[in-house]
Amino acid sequence: MDPRVTAVLGDGGLGAPGHVPAGGFDGILITHNASDIAPAWREHLAEGARLVVPLEMGGYTRSLTLVRRGDVLHCENWTYCGFVRDRGAAARTAPAVRLADGDVTVRWEDGMPGDTAGLDGALRQPRHERSTGLVVRGVFNFETLQVYAATTLTGFCRLTAPEGSTLVEQQDAAAILTNGSLAYLTYRTVKDAPEPADRITEFFIHAYGPAAEEVAEHFAECVRVWDREVRESGYPPMTVHPAATPDDQLPPGDVLDKPSARLVLQWPGRTPADALSLSTARGQHA
């Protein structure tokens, strides 16, 4: 064995106590999906050093390169990825509710579960359909839309349904549950073609419940804002703060709370331009 390598058996969420060099590690690489940023990862990291972690946000995993500056981690890079989930003490099972005799499952990867009362009956009623106005040609990358919806929409959740379901046309869909109503993002082929580059797709919202029209329009507007403000700009500046950080000590932006950390995302169109400029000047970039 290479004498420069020390193998430590234990829970990775606790870092490597007793093995941290003076000043901290030059880098930490996490090789499993994490639902949270363990405090030990930041505490064991040297100032200016990098933590690379596949982090779940709303159940969507992105590999983040985070740079430590004091008690705050600044996101330097985002990459689409996927790994196995954490199996240590920080392992988490997302709360879920099965509806319509198990044909639809609602789960909350972040935040508290919503009230599903009445949705069983609502799912058996005609659904409301609303076009988002987003029409795309060819192979379409909407990975930032997933994270944008997960971090900006109140009541965000995920839906799963078996193949061939008549209630939910996506087997895994981004959704929101609010006002006793449920809405999810789906798409429809406007023009099929042998070559993927020639296909045309339109994105829709399907909604159920007493406030279906209102909830569908709220989700559709989220998609339109993303298309207008975010689609061509990539991932936003983001900082990760200790969980105990008060609201008035956080920078402007959308906050996603984890058990051990508070993520602040500065999405274009939702964060003042001067705040975005300041973040960029401090070295954050997507």
Side-chain angles (χ1 to χ4, degrees), residues 149-211:
T151 57
T152 64
L153 285 173
T154 301
F156 184 84
C157 54
R158 299 275 292 276
L159 297 187
T160 54
E163 186 176 2
S165 169
T166 59
L167 297 179
V168 176
E169 293 187 1
Q170 299 295 110
Q171 288 184 267
D172 188 341
I176 53 174
L177 173 58
T178 183
N179 296 332
S181 301
L182 183 68
Y184 71 91
L185 178 65
T186 187
Y187 59 88
R188 181 177 301 163
T189 300
V190 176
K191 175 187 175 184
D192 204 355
E195 294 296 326
D198 296 328
R199 296 171 188 164
I200 299 177
T201 304
E202 183 176 5
F203 281 76
F204 278 79
I205 306 298
H206 290 174
Y208 295 90

Side-chain angles (χ1 to χ4, degrees), residues 130-136 202-204 220 223-224 227:
R130 174 71 57 92
S131 173
T132 66
L134 177 60
V135 179
V136 297
E202 183 176 5
F203 281 76
F204 278 79
V223 175
R224 289 192 287 264
D227 183 42

Side-chain angles (χ1 to χ4, degrees), residues 4-271:
R4 298 171 298 176
V5 176
T6 300
V8 179
L9 178 63
D11 189 333
L14 301 178
H19 299 275
V20 183
F25 290 112
D26 293 332
I28 297 176
L29 177 64
I30 308 302
T31 56
H32 62 77
N33 276 15
S35 60
D36 194 6
I37 301 291
W41 299 342
R42 171 177 50 81
E43 294 164 2
H44 294 176
L45 198 64
E47 179 71 14
R50 288 167 173 78
L51 164 68
V52 178
V53 54
L55 183 67
E56 295 181 355
M57 291 163 281
Y60 299 110
T61 305
R62 301 295 183 268
S63 180
L64 307 177
T65 301
L66 304 171
V67 182
R68 181 177 183 180
R69 300 194 184 105
D71 287 338
V72 179
L73 300 172
H74 295 253
C75 189
E76 188 178 64
N77 191 63
W78 300 67
T79 303
Y80 187 90
C81 73
F83 289 88
V84 296
R85 281 187 161 179
D86 185 6
R87 297 181 180 178
R92 176 180 176 273
T93 299
V97 175
R98 299 183 70 189
L99 301 170
D101 298 325
D103 197 33
V104 178
T105 299
V106 188
R107 69 183 190 277
W108 293 265
E109 302 287 352
D110 286 300
M112 299 298 293
D115 184 3
T116 59
L119 281 181
D120 261 315
L123 285 167
R124 302 180 194 285
Q125 299 298 315
R127 71 184 176 215
H128 174 73
E129 298 187 2
R130 174 71 57 92
S131 173
T132 66
L134 177 60
V135 179
V136 297
R137 180 182 293 274
V139 179
F140 177 62
N141 186 332
F142 58 97
E143 64 183 71
T144 55
L145 174 57
Q146 295 173 330
V147 180
Y148 182 74
T151 57
T152 64
L153 285 173
T154 301
F156 184 84
C157 54
R158 299 275 292 276
L159 297 187
T160 54
E163 186 176 2
S165 169
T166 59
L167 297 179
V168 176
E169 293 187 1
Q170 299 295 110
Q171 288 184 267
D172 188 341
I176 53 174
L177 173 58
T178 183
N179 296 332
S181 301
L182 183 68
Y184 71 91
L185 178 65
T186 187
Y187 59 88
R188 181 177 301 163
T189 300
V190 176
K191 175 187 175 184
D192 204 355
E195 294 296 326
D198 296 328
R199 296 171 188 164
I200 299 177
T201 304
E202 183 176 5
F203 281 76
F204 278 79
I205 306 298
H206 290 174
Y208 295 90
E213 291 188 32
E214 174 188 343
V215 176
E217 174 56 25
H218 183 55
F219 205 148
E221 179 61 14
C222 168
V223 175
R224 289 192 287 264
V225 173
W226 170 83
D227 183 42
R228 183 174 65 247
E229 304 284 351
V230 179
R231 181 176 171 183
E232 301 299 329
S233 61
Y235 288 101
M238 185 181 76
T239 49
V240 181
H241 306 256
T245 307
D247 288 349
D248 62 3
Q249 293 182 23
L250 294 175
D254 291 286
V255 179
L256 179 63
D257 282 316
K258 300 284 190 176
S260 301
R262 308 193 73 186
L263 282 59
V264 180
L265 300 94
Q266 296 186 321
W267 291 106
R270 293 181 60 88
T271 306

